[in-house]
């Protein structure tokens, strides 16, 4: 682990891989001491924001270094969300061929295994979900699309995700959902956040 200063009110802990990030994030998020404002995971880092009035940079850095990681997700996660999906994406048949699973197999694999929000980025409300079936690890498209509709469910590398708004994107599009992933009038605006478990449920034929 390497810890770097990010301005005067945050430190950034760097790790070797995503699994290590998530193990440390779970432990840190569950044991925040007074003064720690926010713990934010990414693909290889965890950002810790703190309040100078309640703690110090040295205390926070020591806490980050000495907190033992939680290697496994709790059997009964506190936050679980079910998202209904129409598996009607334009890349569904391509994914079926890439994986060798066939269309039915892709749908069964995507909806049959719980996914966990690892981190968020790219756009407000866009989350990278991990932990699905390894068979669904597919490459991003060689040529990204200039516009992907909001609510599109997609696969990219080891992740699945849902586009919260219309935006460019290079992931493989396998379905759509009507669930509002990002709503500026909601508190908080994002439906998903790191640590939340998501289960996808097919709602129509394909």
């Amino acid at each position: 682990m390497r810890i770097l200063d990010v301005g005067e009110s945050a430190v950034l802990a760097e790790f070797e891989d995503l699994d290590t990030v998530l193990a440390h994030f779970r432990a840190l998020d569950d044991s925040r001491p007074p003064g720690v404002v926010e713990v934010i995971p990414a693909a290889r880092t965890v950002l810790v924001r703190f309040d100078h009035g309640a703690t110090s940079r040295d205390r926070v850095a020591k806490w980050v270094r000495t907190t033992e990681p939680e290697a496994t997700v709790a059997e009964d996660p506190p936050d679980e969300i079910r998202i209904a999906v129409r598996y009607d994406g334009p890349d569904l048949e391509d994914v079926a061929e890439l994986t060798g699973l066939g269309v039915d197999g892709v749908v069964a694999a995507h909806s049959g295994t719980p996914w966990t929000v690892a981190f968020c980025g790219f756009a407000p409300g866009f989350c990278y979900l991990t932990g699905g079936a390894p068979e669904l690890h597919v490459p991003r498209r060689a040529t990204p699309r200039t516009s992907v509709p909001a609510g599109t469910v997609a696969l990219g590398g080891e992740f699945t995700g849902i586009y919260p708004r219309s935006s460019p994107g290079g992931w493989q599009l396998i379905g759509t959902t009507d669930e509002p992933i990002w709503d500026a009038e909601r508190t908080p605006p994002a439906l998903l956040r790191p640590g939340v478990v998501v289960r996808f449920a097919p709602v129509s034929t394909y």
Side-chain angles (χ1 to χ4, degrees):
M1 180 196 306
R2 184 168 71 146
I3 296 181
L4 305 173
D5 291 330
V6 181
E8 297 182 350
S9 301
V11 296
L12 188 74
E14 294 183 334
F15 301 95
E16 293 184 356
D17 53 48
L18 179 58
D19 288 341
T20 306
V21 166
L22 296 179
H24 281 270
F25 167 70
R26 284 189 289 267
L28 295 170
D29 199 44
D30 288 343
S31 63
R32 296 188 198 182
V36 170
V37 177
E38 195 171 20
V39 181
I40 306 171
R44 297 290 182 271
T45 61
V46 175
L47 179 72
V48 179
R49 293 179 53 240
F50 58 90
D51 177 2
H52 273 295
T55 189
S56 69
R57 184 268 181 201
D58 290 344
R59 288 196 190 98
V60 171
K62 181 179 179 181
W63 167 66
V64 172
R65 287 188 185 280
T66 58
T67 300
E68 290 295 322
E70 294 180 14
T72 58
V73 180
E75 292 184 6
D76 185 20
D79 297 306
E80 184 172 299
I81 294 176
R82 180 181 179 275
I83 295 179
V85 177
R86 293 181 298 277
Y87 287 92
D88 55 3
D91 299 326
L92 181 59
E93 291 189 2
D94 289 346
V95 171
E97 185 174 347
L98 283 168
T99 60
L101 295 174
V103 169
D104 289 346
V106 171
V107 174
H110 190 259
S111 61
T113 304
W115 297 77
T116 300
V117 179
F119 57 94
C120 303
F122 170 63
F126 188 94
C127 296
Y128 294 74
L129 281 67
T130 188
E135 294 82 5
L136 293 179
H137 294 187
V138 292
R140 292 163 172 79
R141 293 178 57 83
T143 303
R145 291 179 169 89
T146 57
S147 180
V148 176
T152 298
V153 180
L155 294 168
E158 65 185 282
F159 303 107
T160 194
I162 306 169
Y163 286 81
R165 61 178 66 185
S166 178
S167 67
W171 288 21
Q172 307 280 358
L173 313 184
I174 63 171
T176 53
T177 181
D178 295 327
E179 197 72 41
I181 304 303
W182 176 267
D183 181 354
E185 303 300 321
R186 182 171 55 198
T187 303
L191 176 66
L192 306 179
R193 64 186 184 280
V196 169
V197 172
V198 175
R199 292 183 181 272
F200 295 102
V203 294
S204 66
T205 56
Y206 35 89

